[in-house]
């Protein structure tokens, strides 16, 4: 029996369910009765591409932290690439 994955477009609730091919696809979220999106099971990372179901609020904190980290590592790399300034010769 194939496994189907559903994602609620309303509350983001994701779950798997066993259904026969002949069964009617679920349409309502068991939690909030919102609209369900049927995901293709067995797929890879394509599932989430461009779906935009994550609100920015949902992950804003981790997103910000990640952004910070990236900026930090970027500046670290940049620092290393900086050509050392020639020593200024003090005049006699
Ligand atoms: Zn829901």
């Amino acid at each position: 029996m194939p496994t189907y994955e559903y994602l609620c477009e309303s509350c983001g609730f994701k779950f798997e369910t066993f259904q026969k091919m002949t069964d009617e696809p679920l349409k309502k979220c068991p939690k909030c009765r919102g609209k369900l999106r049927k995901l293709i099971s067995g797929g890879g990372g394509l599932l989430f591409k461009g779906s935009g179901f994550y609100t920015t609020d949902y992950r804003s904190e981790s997103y910000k932290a990640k952004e910070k980290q990236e900026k930090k590592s970027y500046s670290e790399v940049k620092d290393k690439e900086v050509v050392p300034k020639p020593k200024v010769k003090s005049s006699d």
Side-chain angles (χ1 to χ4, degrees):
M1 215 187 291
T3 312
Y4 292 98
E5 264 190 300
Y6 288 93
L7 175 77
C8 174
E9 292 185 345
S10 187
C11 73
F13 179 55
K14 191 177 157 193
F15 65 100
E16 289 180 7
T17 185
F18 290 106
Q19 283 189 293
K20 290 179 205 162
M21 297 288 270
T22 50
D23 279 354
E24 287 262 312
L26 301 179
K27 280 176 184 164
K28 281 184 182 173
C29 172
K31 275 193 170 179
C32 74
R33 303 241 157 220
K35 194 180 164 193
L36 284 177
R37 178 202 296 256
K38 192 172 164 189
L39 303 174
I40 300 151
S41 60
L46 286 176
L47 287 182
F48 303 102
K49 241 183 188 174
S51 56
F53 60 85
Y54 274 118
T55 66
T56 47
D57 286 343
Y58 183 78
R59 60 169 185 181
S60 59
E61 283 313 309
S62 58
Y63 181 76
K64 273 182 207 161
K66 194 172 172 254
E67 200 182 35
K68 228 184 232 175
Q69 261 190 341
E70 277 170 1
K71 266 183 192 159
K72 199 184 156 208
S73 58
Y74 175 71
S75 63
E76 273 168 9
V77 169
K78 210 177 151 196
D79 284 348
K80 277 174 196 164
E81 282 175 349
V82 168
V83 182
K85 285 178 190 166
K87 280 177 187 169
V88 179
K89 256 188 181 177
S90 57
S91 54
D92 302 317

